Amino acid sequence: MLRRFYPDIYIDSAYDIDFKAMYDKGFKGIIFDVDNTLVEHGAPVTQRAKNLFESLRKIGFDTCIISNNKESRVKPLAQEVGSKYVSKANKPSPKNYVKAMELMDTDRDSTFFVGDQLFTDVWGANRAGIKSVLVKPIDKHEEIQIILKRHLEWVVLYFFRKEKNSSYKDGVYYRRIFEQ
């Protein structure tokens, strides 16, 4: 039952992902969450985020940001980093993960998702049939409803780490299905 929430990769930060290796594995599109994945919750875009998206374009990736936030939050960030976007995504519904792939002209086999929450971000990506990367939240100060969800996430991550089909290498947890 808990496996539906398991990410394919669990890593400290979106900025620590080896994007070149992912591209070499055949991935061409990346769907990102915004708050606590790329920037602190509610914060403006950072130079670090701009640099990341510039390097992703140089590698050959297309990107799309999807967020449950309103367009007034998502659009300015997406424009500053040069990414497509979907606001009010209603995650974990897979509908807007699919829409993001359509915007990037990618498919389930060539797209992966990066986000900081299991029960919205990762579960939605899993439901959409794409690989999921869970990152630790950037900001430790969160709204109370998110803090409560984090406690439940710890339970899921405990079993994820113990699961015999996951492996730990160089500070990163991988599900074996991702290494195939």
Side-chain angles (χ1 to χ4, degrees):
M1 181 179 142
L2 294 179
R3 285 189 183 127
R4 76 180 75 181
F5 303 112
Y6 287 1
D8 293 299
I9 295 177
Y10 180 34
I11 191 168
D12 284 344
S13 170
Y15 298 95
D16 294 338
I17 297 169
D18 186 344
F19 290 103
K20 179 70 169 91
M22 299 293 279
Y23 189 84
D24 291 344
K25 285 186 177 200
F27 293 98
K28 305 299 180 218
I30 309 169
I31 303 171
F32 283 98
D33 176 49
V34 174
D35 287 322
N36 264 344
T37 298
L38 294 171
V39 297
E40 289 184 6
H41 184 79
V45 72
T46 62
Q47 188 60 49
R48 186 179 189 197
K50 290 178 187 179
N51 293 345
L52 173 64
F53 279 76
E54 183 179 329
S55 71
L56 294 173
R57 280 189 292 280
K58 286 180 182 175
I59 292 170
F61 279 110
D62 198 354
T63 60
C64 187
I65 294 170
I66 68 171
S67 174
N68 287 346
N69 280 304
K70 296 177 183 175
E71 186 172 32
S72 60
R73 167 71 177 141
V74 182
K75 182 178 180 180
L77 285 155
Q79 287 177 328
E80 283 201 61
V81 298
S83 180
K84 297 166 176 74
Y85 72 94
V86 178
S87 58
K88 296 184 182 178
N90 198 30
K91 296 181 285 182
S93 168
K95 177 182 175 184
N96 286 306
Y97 292 81
V98 172
K99 180 177 180 180
M101 288 184 277
E102 290 170 356
L103 290 171
M104 295 186 295
D105 196 28
T106 60
D107 59 28
R108 287 171 173 84
D109 295 328
S110 63
T111 307
F112 68 97
F113 175 83
V114 181
D116 70 298
Q117 292 189 48
L118 284 177
F119 302 127
T120 52
D121 297 334
V122 170
W123 190 27
N126 292 347
R127 291 176 71 200
I130 62 175
K131 300 295 183 191
S132 57
V133 178
L134 177 68
V135 298
K136 294 178 182 173
I138 293 173
D139 189 3
K140 303 300 180 210
H141 301 93
E142 298 179 301
E143 298 169 348
I144 188 66
Q145 70 272 15
I146 295 176
I147 291 170
L148 295 173
K149 282 198 290 185
R150 295 284 185 210
H151 289 290
L152 295 173
E153 287 181 353
W154 293 336
V155 172
V156 174
L157 290 172
Y158 170 80
F159 287 103
F160 169 73
R161 288 183 191 109
K162 283 188 68 159
E163 183 84 25
K164 62 184 171 215
N165 73 347
S166 65
S167 60
Y168 183 77
K169 184 173 82 177
D170 299 325
V172 181
Y173 283 94
Y174 296 90
R175 287 185 71 195
R176 294 208 194 285
I177 61 167
F178 191 79
E179 295 174 332
Q180 295 173 351

